[in-house]
Amino acid sequence: MDVSTETDKSIIVAIDGFSGCGKSTLAKDLAVALAYIHIDSGSLYRAITLYFIRQSVDISQKDSVAKALSFIDLHLTLIDGISAPILNGVNVSNEIKSPAVAQLVSEVAAIEEVRNFLIDKQRNFGKNKAVIMDGRDIGTVIFPEAELKLFITADMKVRVKRRLQELQDKGIDISSVEVGNNLEKRDRIDSTRKVSPLKKADDAIVLDTSGLSREQQLEKAIQYVEDVVNGKT
Ligand code: DC
């Protein structure tokens, strides 16, 4: 289905929620269905974290963080409609999924200088609408004017199972206990940090994906988009 050409009205869809709730999968599927672009904002935080790990940046020191950021050239390139992070000229799509990055990324994403560094990069993608962006503060901070905001939730057991599968598919050897601990740690840091904490926007629709198949969650999201573009909400 191509809602954008059917109605000639393109919108911004903001998808937020905790780690491992299926935000990226839904965002990707929805982008294909609508012929929109998908921006995975978490990949930007992960790419910066990868750089900090490689350069042994002391993230407790503001000066070291600011200096390191000045050496980072980071942008997203669309490959088949899917955004790939290009860090200083190299596509790091695979490297940013490593457990080492997952372990540190929430702490890096809580740093004000890092968030400020990424604000305009993210907002630029909204200029022409027809974009689906997933993250933690998209509906609250990056695109508070987004026409549709979804807040995705899922049971912890389901989240662990999905993330484990995703990592195993990438050939990463990790236990479900490690995955669960990492998700819990990131939930805590992401929702309690001072700058742009993860929270549901007042006007976001909550979508619990625990009992939904990939197709079912996509169907629901498409319905929400249609309601917006047809002026029903
Ligand atoms: O979606 P993800 O798991 O790839 O995100 C990685 C981390 O980046 C996550 O722990 C929180 C942070 N993040 C954020 O703070 N704000 C965003 N808009 C996206 C991600």
Side-chain angles (χ1 to χ4, degrees):
M1 177 181 325
D2 187 339
V3 174
S4 58
T5 52
E6 266 174 21
T7 64
D8 257 0
K9 182 179 174 192
S10 295
I11 63 169
I12 295 178
V13 182
I15 302 185
D16 290 303
F18 292 100
S19 307
C21 288
K23 295 183 303 293
S24 282
T25 304
L26 175 61
K28 263 182 225 151
D29 289 349
L30 194 56
V32 171
L34 303 179
Y36 278 21
I37 57 168
H38 165 227
I39 305 297
D40 169 4
S41 67
S43 69
L44 296 168
Y45 291 93
R46 284 171 177 266
I48 289 178
T49 304
L50 178 69
Y51 183 85
F52 285 1
I53 291 172
R54 286 179 172 170
Q55 302 300 320
S56 306
V57 175
D58 180 354
I59 62 166
S60 67
Q61 300 299 316
K62 271 187 174 226
D63 288 357
S64 312
V65 168
K67 190 168 170 214
L69 287 173
S70 74
F71 288 108
I72 294 182
D73 173 33
L74 177 61
H75 60 270
L76 296 174
T77 290
L78 289 175
I79 301 177
D80 297 333
I82 293 171
S83 60
I86 310 295
L87 174 65
N88 292 337
V90 179
N91 181 348
V92 290
S93 297
N94 289 332
E95 291 83 344
I96 61 167
K97 289 288 176 191
S98 74
V101 170
Q103 210 38 44
L104 192 66
V105 64
S106 282
E107 279 145 79
V108 170
I111 302 171
E112 190 167 14
E113 288 74 10
V114 170
R115 302 204 76 81
N116 290 342
F117 181 76
L118 293 177
I119 284 184
D120 288 343
K121 289 188 197 303
Q122 294 169 88
R123 288 195 179 139
N124 276 338
F125 282 106
K127 283 190 179 142
N128 299 321
K129 304 262 179 180
V131 64
I132 316 220
M133 191 176 293
D134 73 277
R136 305 295 186 288
D137 60 345
I138 310 306
T140 51
V141 176
I142 303 301
F143 295 129
E145 76 287 8
E147 289 86 349
L148 176 62
K149 300 177 186 177
L150 299 178
F151 192 83
I152 312 296
T153 63
D155 293 343
M156 188 47 114
K157 267 191 186 162
V158 175
R159 293 167 61 197
V160 171
K161 204 171 151 207
R162 286 181 186 156
R163 188 47 61 97
L164 193 61
Q165 186 66 56
E166 187 192 334
L167 292 170
Q168 284 172 348
D169 288 348
K170 288 195 154 59
I172 295 170
D173 183 25
I174 191 165
S175 71
S176 58
V177 174
E178 282 173 283
V179 171
N181 288 343
N182 178 253
L183 289 179
E184 274 168 13
K185 177 184 159 199
R186 284 164 59 194
D187 283 1
R188 196 181 56 251
I189 300 177
D190 293 347
S191 52
T192 58
R193 68 179 173 227
K194 280 205 194 107
V195 202
S196 310
L198 165 65
K199 62 173 190 230
K200 186 184 99 56
D202 291 340
D203 50 350
I205 298 170
V206 177
L207 179 59
D208 184 344
T209 64
S210 310
L212 298 179
S213 67
R214 191 168 168 170
E215 292 73 25
Q216 286 169 327
Q217 64 186 27
L218 175 62
E219 223 170 90
K220 278 189 180 276
I222 289 176
Q223 189 59 58
Y224 292 135
V225 173
E226 286 182 343
D227 288 349
V228 170
V229 296
N230 296 325
K232 287 193 193 152
T233 51

